[in-house]
């Protein structure tokens, strides 16, 4: 993944998207994802690519536990995939 593209995808964070211990509940995250998709701010592909990139960056780190965040990102990838099918 191109790091310039990755930085641009922090658009999700600009809309309030966050995961982890202090992050949003699934319903709140997915409301943001719906908004971003419905308003064509990002495509489903772009969102999934970004979330997969976050997982890749965090899953092998030994200095912190990202288990909860990774679980949320995977759940949101499934949500975006299902949402695109409607």
């Amino acid at each position: 993944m191109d790091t310039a593209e990755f930085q641009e995808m922090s658009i999700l964070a600009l809309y309030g998207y966050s995961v982890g211990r202090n992050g949003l509940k699934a319903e709140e995250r997915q409301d943001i994802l719906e908004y971003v998709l419905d308003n064509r701010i990002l495509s489903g592909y772009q969102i999934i690519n970004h979330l997969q990139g976050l997982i890749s960056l965090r899953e092998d780190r030994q200095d912190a536990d990202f288990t909860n965040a990774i679980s949320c990102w995977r759940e949101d990838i499934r949500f975006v995939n299902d949402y695109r099918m409607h």
Side-chain angles (χ1 to χ4, degrees):
M1 173 183 284
D2 181 345
T3 56
E5 177 185 351
F6 193 77
Q7 288 298 321
E8 183 181 335
M9 294 304 138
S10 64
I11 290 169
L12 290 177
L14 293 174
Y15 283 89
Y17 179 91
S18 66
V19 300
R21 255 176 283 209
N22 300 316
L24 301 173
K25 295 177 184 172
E27 183 178 340
E28 296 167 317
R29 293 191 321 269
Q30 293 165 6
D31 284 346
I32 292 168
L33 294 173
E34 279 184 34
Y35 180 85
V36 169
L37 287 165
D38 289 348
N39 290 284
R40 298 176 192 207
I41 297 163
L42 294 172
S43 69
Y45 171 81
Q46 289 172 308
I47 293 170
I48 290 169
N49 192 42
H50 176 64
L51 297 178
Q52 287 175 332
L54 292 172
I55 291 169
S56 294
L57 287 171
R58 304 305 194 293
E59 66 186 343
D60 294 329
R61 292 212 13 207
Q62 303 298 317
D63 60 331
D65 182 9
F66 288 96
T67 306
N68 184 284
I70 290 170
S71 176
C72 292
W73 291 323
R74 287 187 173 138
E75 180 180 7
D76 292 345
I77 288 170
R78 285 189 296 275
F79 173 81
V80 171
N81 273 322
D82 290 346
Y83 193 76
R84 292 191 311 173
M85 296 300 179
H86 291 103

